[in-house]
């Protein structure tokens, strides 16, 4: 593996924002997640739970409701009172429309998928018709006294249930009038609370309405008579979310104590048809409020204030007990938030509303393997760059020479020139950006920092030549006719001749920069690309996919390399394929052309192409062989994958020079320490 | 008893009542529990033992009601038989001989002619559940050899087997898995929990199982205190379970209520938890039950629960979680430090009971009379806590005084000692703390003894200690201006060359005190506390010391640790004889000269009975117990036996009881003493036959009032009172349906007159005069009246018998008249 001096960086003070809503789409097996800062992320559950798309957040756009409509259209409603539809191809907002009812608290799409129901602050329930390219207001339902916090359609589409404060209303969709008003008990363990908030309702096809409320109750109501049928007191705090499976044989609720309870419909005795709802297993995967839950056919999905997205498979629904049946906990975004200037040892950290530039510390000391070296110069916070406006930063990059910084929000693109004079830095904004450079999905500088590559959300790629203090637009690669897919990942060859770009689903396109034309397209693969890189000298393109496959494609020869064919023939080690997190970064050693360096959130790996590949019988995660072992043993146990799990969770790792690595870690405890304190629970024996 | 049988060692009372779940009769009137080789039938209302079903020749291991006739009871035993009883009359109906050791018994209403038992056929640790077909036959003893195998490799405890849904399936747990066998499908499903091997510190072991009576739901208890409710278990894949967690330690037993709406659980916390609707948030508690809950059972009628506890007690609990009755046997789960004693008043056996308590156990009735809380501190049940131990106790002055010593030693140097002296209070019929002495000695107290001689007007107590002193404590006047009181103070401190005092003992007449100092015995004059003489045999430390009695009172006996028994003559001050005997227990008989010694040999314990005057033993019985005998005591007989044979004469006036290391209480008898236990009187049964109607309550209250008013002295009078059920007017009232009864006003006069005593039955013409006289007095203060009756009582005691009868009837008449005046109002309320 070789010995490296490692900069172990822990000052990236990144805190993901809490999850507010999750919405599961059964047809595409995709999950939409919205966070408290307004970000919406799309996870592809079929592609190893990869976060394929994301829509950047906006300060005023706190999402309160999220739902999928027919044709895989995604709608959200928020506290600014707007209904937003997202364009999943171009990765931008299609339109925003004011519902004129004050903040929107809840949304529900009709079972047929053509009508959208919105519950507002002023107590109105509004029905919208979903037209092919817009939504159209149809009518208001009977106005209620207080805000509508939850909505649910009866599967037949004739009735809806709306949860408000202290009561649940059942509406007839045809007439728009309230049929029943079911008052919820305010009492909480004998103490009368001020108000009982209905956080969630679910309407079942047999007419049962299930409600969850702030008094910790899960209640079953008969909507025909408007009476309470059964009451489960499950928590001492609020029950905040509910999701029912499509078969209506199980549902899941999330509480403010961080517990997720599973309820199942089981038959009372084996030979009778009578069935009853029974609380079965509690899951405690969260420390904070579980604000949102979803129920996929095979898994329970939950997310909350503690920023984790937890996917807990249901064992009884899983056909084969393979690795897909394991619990997943997704905390960090599956994209790069950090870029690095190798020359000046600078790190650029991207936050939601600002950028931070740090200079790495240095040391003169030397030591043995495993030693912690004392710093002669501490890491230095050079720059804190705040964005203007309420929009979140989509992407950012620092040039390898360290003198350019570029970032983009949804509506603006920024380029800065950095000047270093001894210890002082001066920042100069490059003004007058061209009109076409409005928003970028990915920014990349060439190795010699003379060119800037920008992937815009219209699917085009811009190449810009950077001069001292000014720039010049060189070329724009337009997307192939018929596709509007945006490119999310870029890679440039160190010699500056080749540019590789990949979208969310189609193959990787390789452009020749010298001749400014499309060179070739790597054949499309079933799973999305998670990382791209072009090796120096050989110009081999290394592609990592979300199913943990790694391909090596020779650009000059326009075909997969021999090594890539060999590994595809033999297959990867089963433990390699069972890793949780996608590979987010690939780099190369300048002096060792046979090495590929890559990492995910929990490991760092050097693939040595010269060594034999491991088979399923060999130990994949071998500890570093002790140096005193004889060469024979070392050679026998050595295989191509050298894996180190010292640094985790690992957000970024790159080679600064031949003997120096930089690793950026973000310990989970540090994130939890920055979250609001969880609900105090008495622990027995303390 | 002309020609006696051989005297043999028999187990005597005090058997475990908590060995198996107790069973209720169908009407909840009786509760059945196993007790050694017997089954006991107790009344749930009065706690009394109504019947003892005897017939098994080994430990009874299971009892169940006959599902087809709930006036019958099945029982099984290690002796390989299943017996069917009529418990109302206590008659054995049938015996089914299976021939294998039966560990537990289950019955099912659906399986009419068979029962289920747990056996182990091959390996010692592998148990099977089999069903036994009970053949129909008219004969008393029937062979039942038709076994059909149900489940293999199960736990031997019946708590780990449960039948559900009217016998459609049976659930069994062991270690880390739950197996469910479906009788219809004839398939077994098995659900395994991750064991501690897979998971660190997971104590997932199953401990018990219960099945919901109405739904397909199995509740299992676990070692870590969790309760799991399994559902959908007919599907190997879709099965699911819920957890309920309150217990912090192992769940000992689980039971569903009859309707299945609530689940009961219990464990070492001694708290009965009721989970309503099987939800975690909805639970009720019955705390402070005293000891670990071992078993829980529910009456078929649903109105009562009962819990069996590790301190050999059964508590009957009402549906609303109120304890209503306690059936307490001999408490066994503590170390016996005090040894066996006999309370001179009640003739009860006294020994350590619950932690910090002294229990008074009636050998006659095999039940605990009462518990005396000595330490009077909350007992905290936790591992590793060093508790206060009650180490010594002694009765003095015919049971008027009780001395107790408690100690707690956390470290070598930190000894906490306390001596308490308790006086018997005649009014409350119990012991009341009189004097508390903190640190009576510097070191452990080795012996406590009272001087029981009659001539001593002043009670005297001697304590000997390892600190080298013995102290004499006497009762002195402790009165002050507020009250009259007595208290104990130290009168004399004696020592001998700084040796540790190991034993002390008064001679029968109280004139001499013998104190042993390691190897030396010193004799002190109890009048002047002068050292009279010393005996030293140099044969090891003295372990036991006692004076001879009656004709042998000139002898002093000492047993040493080196296995020498010495007998000194106090007149000649010389060693009379000595014998090589490794004495473990030496007890003098208070009613004769005999002394019993139990020695320990390699194979077992041997009993020697001898008189101090002659070194030849009267009676030897080898190998009375395989275990070490720890304590023994002579209990005087109420009625002397008349053994004619020389060898058994020592048993005539007293009975010898001894306690082995495993806490079984044994005695010598020609027949088992439990056979002699008197079932409670017929009156109890008569009372129970009275239906519980509002009338019953009124009449019951009525009677209580009478009881209160009538002085204690008239105990025999109850018999003379007309029993309500014998009066035709009342039975007419009670047994005629309400809708055919005439109006209350019509019945009233007849009813009231029926309650009056007819004058003809009473004797004497003087009655009218007496009545006149007393009517005049009735206006007086009631206190005075009490005084008057007490005076009568006093005179009664001295007067002749016939006078007594006369007086009785007179005062009784008076009471009844008074009652007639007072108590009519309740009728109008009706």
């Amino acid at each position: 593996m070789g010995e490296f001096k490692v900069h172990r960086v822990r000052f990236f003070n990144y805190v993901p924002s809490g999850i507010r809503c999750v919405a599961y789409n059964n047809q595409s097996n995709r999950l939409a997640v919205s966070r408290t800062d307004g970000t919406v992320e799309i996870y592809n559950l079929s592609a190893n739970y990869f976060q394929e798309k994301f829509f950047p957040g906006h300060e005023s756009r706190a999402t309160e409701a999220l739902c999928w409509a027919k044709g895989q259209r995604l709608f959200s409603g928020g506290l600014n009172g707007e209904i937003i539809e997202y364009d999943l191809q171009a990765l931008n907002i299609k339109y925003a429309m004011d519902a004129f009812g004050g903040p929107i608290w809840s949304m529900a799409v009709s079972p047929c998928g053509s009508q959208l129901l919105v519950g507002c602050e002023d107590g109105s329930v509004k029905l919208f018709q979903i037209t092919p390219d817009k939504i159209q207001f149809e009518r208001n339902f009977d106005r209620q006294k207080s805000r509508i916090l939850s909505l649910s359609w009866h599967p037949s589409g004739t009735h809806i249930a709306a949860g408000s404060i202290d009561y649940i209303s059942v509406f007839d969709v045809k007439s728009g009038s309230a049929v029943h008003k079911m008052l919820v008990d305010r009492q909480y363990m004998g103490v009368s609370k001020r108000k009982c908030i209905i956080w969630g309702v679910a309407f079942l096809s047999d007419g049962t309405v299930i409600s969850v409320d702030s008094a910790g109750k899960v209640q079953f109501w008969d909507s025909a008579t408007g009476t309470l049928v059964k009451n489960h007191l499950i928590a001492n705090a609020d029950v905040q979310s509910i999701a029912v499976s499509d078969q209506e044989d199980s549902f899941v609720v999330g509480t403010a104590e961080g517990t997720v309870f599973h309820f199942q419909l089981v038959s009372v005795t084996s030979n009778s048809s009578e069935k009853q709802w029974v609380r079965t297993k509690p899951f405690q995967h969260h420390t904070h409020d579980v604000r949102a839950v979803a129920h996929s056919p095979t898994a329970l999905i939950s997310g909350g204030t503690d920023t984790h997205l937890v996917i807990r498979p249901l064992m009884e629904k899983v056909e084969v007990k393979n690795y897909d049946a394991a619990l997943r906990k997704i905390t960090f975004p599956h994209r790069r938030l950090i870029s690095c200037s190798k020359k000046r040892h600078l790190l650029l950290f991207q936050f939601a509303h600002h950028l931070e530039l740090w200079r790495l510390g240095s040391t003169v000391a030397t030591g043995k393997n495993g030693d912690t070296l004392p710093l002669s110069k501490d890491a230095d916070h050079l720059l804190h760059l705040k964005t203007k406006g309420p929009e979140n930063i989509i992407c950012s990059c620092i040039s390898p020479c360290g003198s350019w910084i570029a970032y983009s929000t949804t509506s603006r693109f920024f380029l800065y020139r950095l000047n270093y004079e001894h210890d002082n830095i001066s920042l100069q904004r490059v003004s007058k950006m061209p009109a076409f450079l409005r928003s970028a999905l990915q920014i990349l500088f060439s190795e010699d920092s003379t060119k800037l590559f920008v992937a815009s959300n219209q699917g085009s790629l811009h190449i810009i030549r950077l001069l001292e203090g000014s720039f010049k637009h060189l070329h724009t690669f337009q997307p192939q006719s018929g596709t509007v897919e945006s490119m999310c990942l870029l890679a440039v060859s160190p010699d500056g001749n080749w540019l590789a770009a990949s979208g969310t689903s189609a193959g990787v396109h390789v452009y020749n920069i010298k001749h400014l034309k499309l060179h070739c397209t790597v054949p499309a693969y079933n799973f999305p690309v998670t990382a791209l890189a072009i090796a120096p000298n050989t110009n081999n393109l290394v592609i990592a996919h979300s199913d943990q496959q790694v391909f090596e494609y020779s650009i000059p020869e326009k075909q997969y390399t021999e090594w890539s064919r060999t590994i595809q023939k033999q297959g990867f080690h089963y433990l390699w394929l069972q890793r949780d997190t996608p590979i987010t970064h690939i780099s190369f050693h300048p002096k060792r052309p046979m090495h590929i360096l890559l990492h995910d959130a929990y490991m760092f790996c050097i693939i040595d192409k010269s060594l034999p590949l491991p088979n399923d019988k060999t130990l994949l995660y071998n500890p570093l062989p002790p140096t005193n072992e004889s060469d024979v043993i070392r050679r026998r146990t050595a295989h191509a994958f050298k894996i180190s799990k010292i640094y985790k969770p690992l957000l970024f790792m790159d080679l600064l020079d031949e003997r120096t690595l930089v690793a950026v870690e973000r310990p989970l405890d540090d994130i939890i320490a920055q979250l609001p304190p969880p609900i105090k629970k008495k622990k027995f024996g303390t | 008893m002309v020609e006696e049988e051989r005297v043999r060692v028999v187990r005597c009372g005090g058997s475990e009542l908590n060995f198996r779940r107790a069973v209720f009769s169908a009407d909840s009137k009786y509760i059945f529990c196993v007790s050694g080789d017997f089954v006991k039938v107790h009344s749930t209302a009065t706690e009394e033992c109504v019947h003892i079903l005897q017939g098994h020749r080994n430990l009874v291991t299971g009892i169940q009601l006959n599902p087809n006739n709930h006036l019958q009871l099945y029982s099984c035993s290690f002796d390989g038989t299943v017996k069917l009883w009529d418990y109302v009359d206590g008659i054995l109906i049938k015996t089914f001989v299976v021939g294998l050791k039966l560990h537990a018994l289950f019955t099912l209403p659906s399986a009419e002619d068979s029962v289920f038992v747990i056996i182990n056929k091959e390996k010692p640790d592998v148990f099977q559940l089999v069903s036994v077909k009970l053949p129909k036959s008219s004969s008393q003893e029937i062979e039942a050899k038709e076994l059909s195998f149900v489940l293999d490799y199960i736990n031997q405890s019946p708590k780990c087997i449960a039948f559900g849904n009217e016998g459609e399936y049976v659930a069994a747990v062991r270690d880390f898995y739950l197996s469910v066998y479906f009788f219809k499908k004839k398939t077994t499903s098995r659900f395994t929990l991750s064991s501690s091997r897979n998971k660190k510190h997971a104590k997932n072991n199953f401990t018990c199982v219960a099945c919901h009576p109405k739904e397909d739901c199995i509740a299992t208890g676990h070692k870590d205190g969790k309760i799991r409710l399994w559902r959908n278990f007919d599907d190997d894949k879709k099965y699911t379970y819920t957890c309920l967690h309150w217990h912090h330690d192992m769940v000992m037993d689980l039971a569903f209520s009859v309707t299945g709406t609530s689940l009961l659980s219990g464990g070492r916390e001694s708290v009965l938890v009721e989970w309503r609707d099987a939800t975690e948030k909805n639970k009720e508690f019955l705390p402070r039950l005293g000891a670990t809950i071992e078993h829980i059972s529910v009456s078929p009628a649903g109105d009562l629960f009962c819990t069996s506890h590790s301190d050999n007690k059964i508590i009957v609990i009402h549906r609303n979680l109120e304890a209503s009755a306690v059936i307490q046997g001999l408490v066994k789960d503590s170390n016996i430090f005090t040894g066996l004693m006999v309370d001179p008043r009640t003739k009860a056996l006294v020994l350590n009971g619950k932690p910090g308590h002294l229990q008074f156990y009636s050998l006659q009735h095999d039940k605990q009379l009462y518990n005396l809380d000595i330490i009077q501190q909350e007992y905290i049940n936790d591992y590793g806590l060093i508790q206060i131990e009650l180490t010594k106790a002694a009765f003095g002055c015919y049971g008027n005084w009780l001395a107790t010593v408690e100690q707690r030693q956390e470290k070598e140097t930190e000894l906490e000692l306390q001596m308490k002296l308790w006086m018997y209070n005649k009014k409350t019929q119990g012991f009341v703390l009189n004097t508390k002495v903190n640190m009576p000695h510097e070191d452990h107290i080795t012996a406590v003894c009272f001087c029981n001689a009659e001539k001593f007007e002043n009670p005297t107590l001697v304590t000997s200690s390892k600190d080298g002193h013995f102290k004499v404590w006497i009762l002195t006047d402790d009165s002050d201006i507020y009250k009259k009181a007595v208290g104990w103070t130290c009168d004399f401190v004696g020592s001998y060359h700084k040796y540790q005092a190991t034993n002390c003992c008064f001679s029968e007449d109280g004139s001499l005190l013998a104190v042993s100092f390691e190897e030396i015995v010193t004799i002190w004059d109890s009048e002047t506390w002068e050292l009279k003489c010393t005996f030293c045999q140099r044969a090891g430390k003295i372990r036991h010391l006692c004076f001879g009695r009656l004709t042998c009172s000139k002898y002093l006996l000492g047993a040493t640790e080196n296995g020498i028994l010495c007998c000194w003559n106090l007149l000649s001050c010389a060693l009379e004889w000595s014998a090589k005997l490794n004495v473990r227990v030496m007890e003098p008989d208070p009613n004769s000269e005999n002394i019993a010694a139990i020695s320990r040999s390699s194979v077992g314990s041997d009993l020697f009975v001898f008189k101090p005057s002659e070194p030849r033993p009267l009676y030897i019985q080898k190998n009375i117990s395989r275990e070490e005998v720890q304590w023994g005591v002579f209990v005087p007989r109420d009625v002397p036996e008349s053994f004619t044979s020389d060898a058994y004469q020592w048993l005539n006036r007293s009975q010898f009881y001894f306690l082995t290391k495993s806490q079984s209480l044994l005695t010598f008898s020609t027949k088992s003493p439990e056979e002699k236990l008197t079932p409670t009187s017929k009156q109890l049964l008569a009372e129970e036959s009275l239906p519980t109607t509002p009338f019953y309550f009124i009449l019951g209250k009525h009677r209580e009032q009478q009881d209160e008013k009538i002085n204690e002295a008239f105990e025999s009078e109850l018999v003379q009172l007309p029993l309500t059920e014998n009066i035709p007017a009342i039975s007419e009232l009670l047994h005629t349906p309400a809708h055919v009864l005439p109006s209350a006003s019509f019945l009233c006069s007849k009813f009231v007159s029926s309650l009056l005593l007819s004058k003809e039955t009473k004797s004497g013409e003087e009655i009218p005069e007496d009545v006149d006289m007393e009517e005049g007095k009735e206006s007086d203060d009631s206190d005075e009246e009490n005084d008057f009756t007490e005076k009568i009582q006093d005179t009664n005691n001295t007067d002749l018998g016939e006078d007594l009868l006369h007086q009785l009837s007179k005062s009784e008449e008076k009471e009844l008249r008074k009652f007639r005046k007072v108590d009519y109002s309740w009728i109008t309320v009706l």
Side-chain angles (χ1 to χ4, degrees), chain B residues 231-303:
Chain B
R231 288 174 205 270
N232 263 355
F233 43 79
D234 50 343
D235 192 323
D236 268 350
K237 212 163 164 200
K238 274 194 181 158
Y239 76 92
T240 173
Y241 62 78
T242 320
C243 261
L244 304 174
H245 200 170
W246 179 85
H247 295 278
H248 78 264
D249 208 329
M250 186 164 145
V251 180
M252 295 292 284
D253 202 9
L254 285 171
F256 274 102
S257 68
V258 174
T259 51
T261 49
S262 60
L263 173 69
L264 299 158
S265 67
R268 207 164 62 94
E269 301 88 357
S270 327
V271 179
L272 182 71
V273 186
E274 183 186 359
W275 307 83
R276 303 226 165 121
D277 308 321
T279 51
E280 191 143 32
K281 299 277 171 194
N282 197 356
K283 51 184 181 281
E284 299 284 325
F285 303 102
L286 177 62
R288 288 181 284 279
L289 291 177
T292 304
I293 295 175
E294 301 261 358
H295 300 277
I296 302 170
S297 46
V298 175
S299 75
D303 55 342

Side-chain angles (χ1 to χ4, degrees), chain A residues 264 268 270 276 279-280, chain B residues 214-216 231 240 242 281:
Chain A
Q264 279 175 286
V268 171
S270 56
Q276 62 175 357
R279 181 180 77 73
T280 54
Chain B
K214 299 270 162 68
E215 296 168 11
D216 275 355
R231 288 174 205 270
T240 173
T242 320
K281 299 277 171 194

Side-chain angles (χ1 to χ4, degrees), chain A residues 403-416:
Chain A
S403 49
W404 297 91
I405 288 177
Y407 75 90
S408 168
T409 66
T410 321
S411 56
R412 290 177 80 180
F413 184 88
F414 299 89
L415 182 66
Y416 291 93

Side-chain angles (χ1 to χ4, degrees), chain A residues 23 304 403 478 485 667 673-674:
Chain A
S403 49
Q478 289 300 334
E485 202 198 36
Q674 296 202 12

Side-chain angles (χ1 to χ4, degrees), chain B residues 507-774:
Chain B
S507 67
E508 197 189 9
D509 59 355
S511 61
L512 291 176
L513 169 71
V515 183
S516 66
F517 288 94
E518 297 183 10
E519 297 186 347
I520 300 147
V521 182
T522 56
I523 308 292
W524 305 73
D525 185 351
S526 64
E527 297 276 340
T528 56
W529 303 118
E530 267 175 20
L531 180 63
K532 285 282 183 192
C533 66
T534 58
F535 299 112
C536 179
Q537 223 55 48
R538 294 283 170 215
K541 285 189 185 175
I542 307 285
R543 190 188 274 159
H544 299 283
L545 195 65
C546 78
F547 279 96
R549 291 188 185 259
L550 306 173
T551 59
C552 300
S553 54
K554 61 182 178 189
Y555 297 105
L556 174 68
L557 286 157
T560 67
E561 281 182 353
N562 294 9
I564 309 284
L565 178 65
C566 304
C567 178
W568 292 282
N569 191 328
L570 293 171
L571 298 179
S572 62
C573 289
L575 182 71
E576 188 85 2
W577 53 267
S578 72
K580 187 134 183 71
L581 196 64
N582 186 12
V583 175
R584 287 287 157 151
V585 174
M586 186 160 75
E587 277 294 324
D589 181 359
N591 288 349
S592 68
E593 299 95 342
N594 298 331
I595 287 175
I598 294 174
S599 77
R600 170 92 184 137
S601 67
S602 54
V603 285
S605 299
D606 310 322
L607 172 82
F608 299 88
V609 182
F610 57 91
K611 280 186 182 171
S613 52
E614 43 193 313
R616 197 174 53 83
L618 288 172
Y619 177 76
I620 300 173
Q621 182 152 0
K622 291 268 182 193
N623 211 355
I624 52 171
S625 161
R626 204 165 287 172
E627 297 170 278
E628 187 183 330
V629 174
Q630 284 193 315
W631 303 99
V633 73
F634 274 102
V635 180
R637 285 187 199 274
D638 292 338
V639 185
E641 294 272 351
S642 49
F643 291 107
T644 45
S645 128
D646 276 353
Y648 300 150
Q649 286 222 333
W650 65 282
L651 284 170
N652 274 355
R653 307 179 74 181
S654 303
Q655 197 166 7
F656 187 68
Y657 287 88
F658 59 95
L659 192 73
T660 63
K661 203 167 186 181
S662 68
Q663 315 235 325
S664 41
L665 188 64
L666 305 170
T667 189
F668 294 95
S669 172
T670 50
K671 56 178 179 177
S672 141
E674 288 197 31
E675 287 168 33
K676 291 187 290 186
L677 290 179
T678 48
T680 25
S681 58
K682 291 284 176 281
Q683 193 199 342
L684 190 98
L685 284 170
E687 237 173 26
E688 277 184 32
S689 66
L690 206 65
T692 50
T693 57
F695 273 112
Y696 167 78
F697 287 119
I698 293 159
L699 290 174
K701 217 183 265 173
H702 200 82
R703 230 192 240 173
E704 271 171 35
Q705 281 173 354
Q706 282 180 345
D707 286 353
E708 276 167 33
K709 282 175 193 160
I710 296 168
N711 201 292
E712 287 173 319
F714 308 134
E715 275 167 346
S716 54
E717 166 249 43
L718 254 180
V719 188
Q720 292 175 2
L721 246 189
L723 290 170
T724 42
E725 53 263 42
N726 299 337
I727 300 168
I730 292 178
S731 58
E732 194 180 310
L733 248 179
L734 296 175
H735 297 298
T736 319
H739 63 277
V740 298
L741 267 181
S743 72
S745 59
F746 182 80
L747 287 170
C748 189
S749 62
K750 199 174 150 196
F751 176 65
V752 170
S753 61
S754 74
L755 289 173
L756 295 177
L757 293 173
S758 51
K759 280 180 185 171
E760 289 80 41
T761 57
K762 302 302 159 196
S763 64
E765 298 94 310
E766 331 118 75
I767 293 169
E769 293 152 34
D770 265 88
V771 169
D772 285 344
M773 183 190 79
E774 270 148 28

Side-chain angles (χ1 to χ4, degrees), chain A residues 27 67-71 73 75 107-118 126-130 135 138-139 141 151-160 173 203:
Chain A
Q27 276 100 46
C67 59
W68 292 90
K70 198 164 73 177
R73 294 168 68 178
F75 293 92
M107 266 170 105
V109 170
S110 69
C112 57
S114 60
Q115 281 169 315
L116 184 69
L117 211 56
V118 174
K126 293 170 196 288
L127 186 67
F128 288 84
Q129 196 71 38
I130 302 174
I135 54 169
E138 200 164 298
R139 63 154 186 244
F141 284 17
L151 283 169
S152 176
W153 286 81
H154 188 267
S156 69
T158 54
H159 287 81
I160 59 160
V173 175
F203 215 137

Side-chain angles (χ1 to χ4, degrees), chain B residues 71-242:
Chain B
L71 295 175
Q72 295 177 345
L73 182 78
Y74 281 114
S75 69
C76 77
S77 158
F78 278 155
D79 66 5
T81 58
V82 174
K83 289 183 195 276
L84 182 64
W85 309 84
D86 177 342
Y87 64 79
V88 181
D89 300 324
I91 305 165
L92 175 63
I93 301 172
K94 266 177 192 169
T95 303
F96 301 94
V97 180
V98 181
L100 293 159
K101 221 173 175 187
L102 308 177
H103 291 265
L105 176 79
F106 305 93
T107 56
L108 271 187
S110 54
E112 275 186 18
D113 53 350
S114 58
V115 293
F116 296 87
V117 291
I118 293 179
I119 55 167
N120 69 328
K121 252 184 172 168
E122 294 117 26
K123 284 174 228 159
D125 198 31
V126 179
F127 294 87
Q128 293 90 23
L129 179 71
V130 294
S131 97
V132 180
K133 196 160 163 31
L134 302 178
K136 286 208 168 81
S137 161
S138 56
S139 67
Q140 273 275 320
E141 195 161 313
I142 310 155
E143 295 262 310
K145 299 284 184 194
E146 200 178 315
L147 306 182
S148 61
F149 172 86
V150 180
L151 272 175
D152 196 4
Y153 200 66
I154 56 170
N155 202 318
Q156 76 177 102
S157 163
K159 284 197 279 193
C160 295
I161 298 278
F163 289 82
N165 198 6
E166 283 141 9
E168 290 224 332
Y169 57 88
V170 55
V173 294
R174 186 187 163 118
D175 302 336
F176 292 102
Y177 59 83
L178 161 75
S179 347
V180 185
Y181 177 79
F182 297 92
F183 286 101
K184 269 190 189 156
K185 290 192 277 177
K186 294 205 183 347
T187 53
T188 309
S189 312
R190 182 174 276 201
F191 310 100
T192 311
L193 290 179
S194 58
S195 66
S196 52
R197 267 168 295 165
N198 313 349
K199 231 180 186 176
K200 252 188 191 173
H201 311 301
K203 293 192 286 181
N204 270 340
N205 313 46
F206 284 90
T207 55
C208 52
V209 65
C211 288
H212 196 289
K214 299 270 162 68
E215 296 168 11
D216 275 355
C217 173
I218 297 174
T220 57
H222 298 262
K223 214 175 172 184
D224 55 0
K226 279 185 182 149
I227 298 166
R228 284 185 169 84
L229 293 168
W230 301 75
R231 288 174 205 270
N232 263 355
F233 43 79
D234 50 343
D235 192 323
D236 268 350
K237 212 163 164 200
K238 274 194 181 158
Y239 76 92
T240 173
Y241 62 78
T242 320

